[in-house]
Amino acid sequence: MLKNLQKIIDESKSVVFFGGAGISTESGIPDFRSVDGLYNQKYDVPPEKILSHTYFMEETEKFYDFYRDKMIALWAKPNPAHLKLAELEKCGKIRAVITQNIDGLHQQAGSKIVYELHGSVHRNYCMKCGRFFDAQFILNSTGVPKCQCGGTIKPDVVLYEEPLDDKTFTSAERAIMTADTLIVSGTSLTVYPAAGMIRYFQGDNLVLINRDETPADKYANLVIHGKAGEVLGALRAD
């Protein structure tokens, strides 16, 4: 399987990578829907509700209690999957990384062209004046973080009930449409609209690297069931 993947990448001219929460689990960040994922842990309020626009607006302090505890992982480091993708980009193979993750690990690993569909914990803005605040500021704050102007600070992450950023989505869509190989990994392909993006792929090779089966397995040219870090980390980048 690995030899087949290496051959596909070697013969491709424009590879795009599309990844989800499973890419960061090997960095110690829990995913959402697996057996031990965030959504299967017990909370008084379901995480899906806490991470909604309505809950942020109505229960801002409770939102931030959960957000600081579970969503900001500044201790996490890039794993072999992140590092190999950055290496493949540097040598001209990876054209873009599209991610559903908000942890910023692709950029920390060295990837330059990253489309963050769901935003990033590293960007936070005052809802009143637009001033920028980094993740460390949010992590060190207590209660509801406030700007000097008195406005409430909001993370630049896409909450439930909020649309994806048009510019980011369009750029990611264009990258997929013009790729000859699309590698999808670490995602259940069940969260829309992000999961529906692979339907824009018109290239030669659809590759799925996932621990579990996905609805798109039957359409792929190559399916590898395994951990992204172990699979991608074993590739050559030359």
Side-chain angles (χ1 to χ4, degrees), residues 130-146:
R131 182 172 178 170
F132 169 85
F133 296 86
D134 63 17
Q136 195 67 56
F137 179 89
I138 301 299
L139 198 59
N140 293 340
S141 64
T142 57
V144 179
K146 295 286 187 176

Side-chain angles (χ1 to χ4, degrees), residues 167-203:
K167 184 178 179 180
T168 302
F169 186 86
T170 300
S171 297
E173 178 185 85
R174 187 180 301 114
I176 290 176
M177 290 179 67
T178 56
D180 57 11
T181 293
L182 177 63
I183 301 174
V184 181
S185 184
T187 173
S188 62
L189 292 176
T190 57
V191 180
Y192 287 81
M197 295 192 74
I198 67 170
R199 72 175 182 267
Y200 298 112
F201 179 62
Q202 302 170 1

Side-chain angles (χ1 to χ4, degrees), residues 26-151:
E26 290 172 82
S27 293
I29 300 177
D31 63 8
F32 294 89
R33 289 170 175 78
S34 65
V35 175
D36 54 353
L38 195 61
Y39 289 173
N40 286 315
Q41 298 177 26
K42 301 300 181 184
Y43 298 98
D44 293 337
V45 179
E48 298 98 317
K49 182 176 180 179
I50 298 174
L51 297 173
S52 69
H53 179 81
T54 297
Y55 197 84
F56 173 81
M57 298 302 292
E58 295 179 354
E59 301 283 354
T60 312
E61 186 167 353
K62 292 180 180 178
F63 167 90
Y64 267 112
D65 288 342
F66 179 88
Y67 184 78
R68 290 188 190 96
D69 186 42
K70 296 296 182 181
M71 306 305 291
I72 304 179
L74 300 187
W75 45 263
K77 303 298 180 185
N79 63 55
H82 300 107
L83 296 169
K84 185 61 66 174
L85 290 168
E87 194 178 348
L88 287 166
E89 181 191 60
K90 190 174 181 180
C91 71
K93 282 297 181 182
I94 293 286
R95 181 179 179 185
V97 169
I98 301 166
T99 181
Q100 295 172 274
N101 297 338
I102 60 175
D103 51 47
L105 290 180
H106 284 294
Q107 291 93 330
Q108 191 175 334
S111 290
K112 303 299 183 186
I113 304 176
V114 181
Y115 300 118
E116 296 173 307
L117 296 178
H118 295 155
S120 173
V121 299
H122 296 281
R123 298 188 299 270
N124 306 273
Y125 298 96
C126 173
M127 297 175 69
K128 186 176 180 180
C129 73
R131 182 172 178 170
F132 169 85
F133 296 86
D134 63 17
Q136 195 67 56
F137 179 89
I138 301 299
L139 198 59
N140 293 340
S141 64
T142 57
V144 179
K146 295 286 187 176
C147 177
Q148 288 89 330
C149 75

